[in-house]
Amino acid sequence: MAPPCRLLPLAVALTLGLAAGLDAPGEAEELAAGMAAELRAAGLPGDLPELEPECRRLLTAFAEGSAMLSGCLARRARPVRLCQACGGLYRGLLVQYGDIARAVGNSSESHNCAKSILTSDRLQVVVTLSAFFNETWEAANCANCIKNNSEGLSNSTQEFMDLFNKSLTCFEHNLQGQAIDLSPNNYTEVCKNCNGTYKNLNDLYNKLQRLNRHGEESGHSAHLCIDVEDAMNITRKLWSRTFNCSVPCSDTVPVIAVSSFILFLPVVFYLSSFLHSKQKKRILILPKRIQSNASLVNIQEKYS
Ligand SMILES: *[C@@H]1O[C@H](CO)[C@@H](O)[C@H](O)[C@H]1NC(C)=O
Ligand SMILES: *[C@@H]1O[C@H](CO)[C@@H](O)[C@H](O)[C@H]1NC(C)=O
Ligand SMILES: *[C@@H]1O[C@H](CO)[C@@H](O)[C@H](O)[C@H]1NC(C)=O
Ligand SMILES: *[C@@H]1O[C@H](CO)[C@@H](O)[C@H](O)[C@H]1NC(C)=O
Ligand SMILES: *[C@@H]1O[C@H](CO)[C@@H](O)[C@H](O)[C@H]1NC(C)=O
Ligand SMILES: *[C@@H]1O[C@H](CO)[C@@H](O)[C@H](O)[C@H]1NC(C)=O
Ligand SMILES: *[C@@H]1O[C@H](CO)[C@@H](O)[C@H](O)[C@H]1NC(C)=O
Ligand SMILES: *[C@@H]1O[C@H](CO)[C@@H](O)[C@H](O)[C@H]1NC(C)=O
Ligand SMILES: *[C@@H]1O[C@H](CO)[C@@H](O)[C@H](O)[C@H]1NC(C)=O
């Protein structure tokens, strides 16, 4: 008795489910897409959901390009090597975006490829992605360390990176035989043997910053590219915080100059007030001659 009673609701549910399934949105869309394809095969115009094959190819290329670029950016996020590693991919994506923006499509207005991909909906994924990559590239300031319109780092950036590599290598050599995590480390050797390399690196960085500030007036940003900034940040922290070496004195010279100037200000003040009061005394002694001088000027003015 029990089995048939339990089977009945199941059968009802199944039939209901099947009936509901026919109305499911997924199947409806498939039907519409199929109809659209049929309509197009029959040569009928209309705002069809399908892209032209050429347009579809452009979109696929952009999709693959942006996947590769975002992969590169994420993999090179730490330590920062964005500009060195992903420049080619970024330029490639710019070309692909440009291709889409220029793709007009060859048939009717409704088939305009650029319009269809870039502006047809509220979300505009392709535009959003392109804008994101542009902003990231801009914020990283990569233009600042990459050669004009071509592969590779600019000369000064290459020089900086070579020095950076040399500094790290020097640190490594002079730390050999010391376990980094043993607390009482003796970094005397590192500080002594790498101070030349470190000083060169620091000087070059300061020079690049100065040059960049000069360019800033002609529309550049105040930051060096993130690869260079991060490399210097890491090295400075290692040098002064981890190794506890002294900072090179090139930075302290202006500080000393300014402090000694301020220290001397009181002396200058008293000296000048002393001289001033002396001058006043002399003026008090000699009022008559000044007056006679003035009358002489008056006479000269009358006769001129
Ligand atoms: C238009 O596009 C179709 C298919 O995409 C292609 O076969 C045809 O040659 C194109 N016509 C022109 C004028 O570009
Ligand atoms: C991204 O930058 C390129 C080149 O500067 C530009 O052509 C493109 O329109 C930008 N993309 C967006 C979405 O603004
Ligand atoms: C980079 O190219 C721009 C024009 O695209 C040019 O004005 C500028 O002088 C170039 N800079 C260098 C360093 O070649
Ligand atoms: C960069 O370096 C290369 C090779 O060392 C050299 O040929 C080129 O002139 C340099 N460019 C600049 C702008 O200094
Ligand atoms: C420095 O550069 C050399 C060769 O270019 C490379 O083999 C080495 O791994 C680099 N060292 C560091 C610490 O990046
Ligand atoms: C560190 O090592 C140097 C020589 O390698 C030695 O002269 C110095 O005394 C050591 N300092 C400490 C605190 O161990
Ligand atoms: C590095 O430090 C050592 C010892 O303190 C010193 O003899 C040497 O002149 C320094 N080198 C540079 C380039 O400052
Ligand atoms: C340098 O490192 C500190 C801490 O790690 C960070 O807060 C700062 O933003 C870094 N500076 C640059 C220019 O990357
Ligand atoms: C760094 O060195 C100074 C003396 O040169 C010392 O007073 C200070 O405690 C050291 N700091 C660290 C974190 O080792």
Side-chain angles (χ1 to χ4, degrees):
M1 274 298 269
C5 280
R6 249 188 256 165
L7 276 177
L8 187 63
L10 186 67
V12 171
L14 267 176
T15 39
L16 277 176
L18 277 175
L22 272 178
D23 289 338
E27 282 184 31
E29 264 170 31
E30 244 172 57
L31 262 178
M35 263 162 64
E38 271 174 33
L39 281 174
R40 201 154 63 145
L44 289 173
D47 198 6
L48 302 171
E50 279 295 311
L51 286 175
E52 281 174 22
E54 175 58 13
C55 198
R56 165 67 54 192
R57 195 190 63 73
L58 291 177
L59 183 57
T60 306
F62 181 86
E64 278 160 10
S66 57
M68 282 198 294
L69 179 55
S70 57
C72 182
L73 292 178
R75 270 192 298 276
R76 300 314 185 120
R78 285 315 306 172
V80 187
R81 296 285 183 278
L82 299 187
C83 305
Q84 293 163 76
C86 311
L89 292 175
Y90 176 66
R91 270 193 300 281
L93 198 74
L94 283 186
V95 170
Q96 284 160 344
Y97 185 80
D99 286 348
I100 291 179
R102 268 183 279 106
V104 181
N106 69 4
S107 43
S108 63
E109 177 70 6
S110 65
H111 279 133
N112 183 320
C113 183
K115 199 177 143 212
S116 159
I117 293 181
L118 299 180
T119 63
S120 291
D121 59 86
R122 174 170 66 78
L123 205 52
Q124 301 179 359
V125 171
V126 170
V127 176
T128 307
L129 282 174
S130 171
F132 166 74
F133 289 125
N134 278 0
E135 279 158 23
T136 306
W137 206 249
E138 195 101 329
N141 241 310
C142 289
N144 205 290
C145 65
I146 279 186
K147 270 184 193 153
N148 228 3
N149 307 320
S150 69
E151 296 280 335
L153 297 173
S154 68
N155 279 4
S156 55
T157 310
Q158 190 57 56
E159 194 187 339
F160 178 87
M161 285 301 166
D162 289 346
L163 259 179
F164 174 58
N165 179 319
K166 240 194 237 169
S167 305
L168 289 190
T169 311
C170 182
F171 294 168
E172 266 170 35
H173 278 207
N174 285 281
L175 286 176
Q176 257 165 10
Q178 294 194 30
I180 295 276
D181 47 4
L182 276 179
S183 38
N185 258 314
N186 189 346
Y187 293 120
T188 334
E189 289 293 303
V190 181
C191 296
K192 203 174 66 187
N193 296 334
C194 303
N195 63 350
T197 328
Y198 178 76
K199 191 174 178 306
N200 286 346
L201 184 76
N202 209 30
D203 288 351
L204 179 57
Y205 184 80
N206 290 338
K207 187 183 122 194
L208 291 180
Q209 256 188 338
R210 257 198 322 276
L211 288 177
N212 194 46
R213 289 218 191 89
H214 266 291
E216 193 189 350
E217 290 140 24
S218 53
H220 285 278
S221 134
H223 283 280
L224 293 171
C225 83
I226 187 69
D227 293 22
V228 169
E229 272 190 337
D230 183 64
M232 196 65 229
N233 210 2
I234 289 173
T235 320
R236 277 182 177 160
K237 237 179 288 171
L238 272 175
W239 186 257
S240 52
R241 215 177 287 167
T242 311
F243 304 153
N244 198 13
C245 305
S246 60
V247 212
C249 43
S250 64
D251 277 357
T252 56
V253 167
V255 175
I256 290 173
V258 169
S259 353
S260 39
F261 173 72
I262 290 172
L263 272 177
F264 271 98
L265 272 182
V267 179
V268 172
F269 173 74
Y270 284 118
L271 201 66
S272 68
S273 63
F274 173 70
L275 290 176
H276 194 64
S277 65
K278 249 193 160 181
Q279 218 172 12
K280 258 189 184 165
K281 265 184 204 161
R282 218 186 295 155
I283 287 171
L284 281 175
I285 294 168
L286 304 167
K288 269 189 181 168
R289 213 197 293 164
I290 287 172
Q291 220 175 6
S292 65
N293 271 352
S295 54
L296 195 69
V297 168
N298 276 345
I299 292 165
Q300 275 176 344
E301 270 178 4
K302 261 184 198 169
Y303 287 88
S304 64

